[in-house]
Amino acid sequence: MAPRLDFSDWWAKENRKGTPVVVKMENPSYSVVEIDGPDAAFRPVEKSRGKNAKQVTWVLLLKANRAVGCVAWLATVLWALLGTIKKRLIFRQGVAMESDKMGKGRLLFRVIRAFLVTSLVILGFEVVTYFKGWHYFERPNLHIPRTTDVHGLLHTIYVAWLTFRADYIAPPIQALSKFCVALFLIQSVDRMILCLGCLWIKYKKVKPRIERDPFKSDDTEGIGCEYPMVLVQIPMCNEREVYEQSISAVCQIDWPKDRLLIQVLDDSDNESIQCLINAEVAKWSQRGINIIYRHRLVRTGYKAGNLKSAMSCDYVKGYEFVAIFDADFQPTPDFLKQTVPHFKDNPEVGLVQARWAFVNKDENLLTRLQNINLCFHFEVEQQVNGVFLNFFGFNGTAGVWRIKALEESGGWLERTTVEDMDIAVRAHLNGWKFIFLDDVKVLCELPESYEAYKKQQHRWHSGPMQLFRLCLPAIVTSKISAWKKANLILLFFLLRKLILPFYSFTLFCIILPLTMFVPEAELPMWVICYVPVFMSFLNIFPAPKSFPFIVPYLLFENTMSVTKFNAMISGLFQLGSSYEWVVTKKAGRSSESDLLAAAERETKSTNQQQLTRGSSESELQELTKLKEQQNEVTITPVKKTNKIYRKELVLAFLLLTAAVRSLLAAQGVHFYFLLFQGVTFLLVGLDLIGEQMS
């Protein structure tokens, strides 16, 4: 008897497919059998067999419970989202409309809103026509009815509009779009080259190195002679939230006290803040730190005027280097030991720039998106330019200057709002070289509100255009090489400061929405989707942990192009807003580890250093008076309110509508992708329209 074969498990895993199996054997003792299908004896046992009705009922109830739970969760999320929209946008609970403070921009908002409503109507019409197969806006051989076939005045008007649109409106839009696409490709190539340069630097492990210990001296009698004289400046203006942690961090820098001088340059116009800063300076002065408090009565020239005034002091002449830290920056104790040695044996080096690190990069979506941009700026742009060109724009803080380089370049000038870039360009024209240290990081703070970020970006994009107008003659007539002049004019200023905001605003905020009304000027899919996504991947390359935020980043950058374009125009044509200097609002955040380390150093310093009895009685009385004033100062809590930036929000919805319409026109309706994009954008808008609730 042939052995019994159990095929039940095999048939349960895989159904029969393919051609029937024919089994042949040499010298068979029985006939050939063709199996066309499983016999009744070999059929798989049904999974439900052996289960009673009660078990089946429990399984079904369990599945139903999971389904109901999923639906309930989705309903809860949707209800919470709708509730937030209702509170913020309809009832205006906890919000302050931007137009309630400023009446500017109302006309622009109404125009954009009208475009949005019209675009939504057109989009709905095209969705209906697409699914019904009409394809009015997609067929190049559109049938125009003859006069005898026209029924009604509306058809005649529609045909006249099609003719006028194709002959007079579409050609200029197409020409402008081609020009912007060409600029877009040039800028994309430049960014790709920068990324390739960054990869080469990482592969070759190229970075500035210190060959030997510059502070080691063989002369035992001349201990400390290897340490140069360093001046540290902390410019600030009404920095109530961050002045204490900044002064504390700078005063704990590891450097010989007799070769270090700290200047606290206060431009505050609030007397209570002046008392607080003066008391903090007096506290560290009593501990033996060589620190000076300077206050200007008239704030002329903003930060540039403040630094220029401080450098004019007589006691500064004996110092060789100057380190600058803004009020929210917290350098590590070994900052000077990591930066100053790069000047030794390199007399042509005028600046050593450190990288920024952010204590609040994960605070909200806005700070995460800023972290993407700034990581690319430091790790790619500045590092590549520092290695290959020995030039980059000074960041205004977290850097050490050779005072001789500042003096030979003309010192700080008050002619623009980007005094840091101004002095960097002039120093480069005088032949000084710059070094960027990517592995030396200084903690600082990112703007956590859209209002503060918007004002910061306006200054950062209007100032370079002011500087370009002023520096262009000096660049042309300078004695540097021709390729360095070309780099300054074509790449540093024109491509990265002027062309980038111009094509970004024109292409994605003007031409893309117009394609909904003028289908003849349709943009190709690679311009709308593929290249921007690829460029976003390049931007996220230095911060790979930010990859989940690529879609919000892409939408946010397109919307922010309006602010950047406006700032660029105001700076290029020297409009009134280009001279505005608004101090970026800060929250005074520090990481937990930094707070613990600072507290430990504070305790250790207090135990080791006590107020000396040799201090005069007047100094002690002054310190006591300042402490009493500090205790009497009452800080009125300011209630944080959300702000609806309606122009930006409505414009962003308009851009999303235009992108959806372009996808439909390309006959690529991906419903789930569009749904995901729409929901993501809605969440981005709700997160970016205002400050976080307290």
Side-chain angles (χ1 to χ4, degrees), residues 8 16 52 67 84 167 256 305 345 365 408 435 452 461 606 613 653 659 679:
S8 59
R16 182 180 63 86
N52 54 29
T84 304
D167 295 339
D345 300 328
L365 183 59
E408 290 185 357
I435 293 179
H461 286 81
T606 304
R613 295 185 177 182
F653 273 103
V679 173

Side-chain angles (χ1 to χ4, degrees), residues 32 71 205 262 307 354 426 486 666 684:
V32 177
V71 173
K205 297 181 181 180
I262 301 173
L307 296 174
R426 286 185 281 116
V684 173

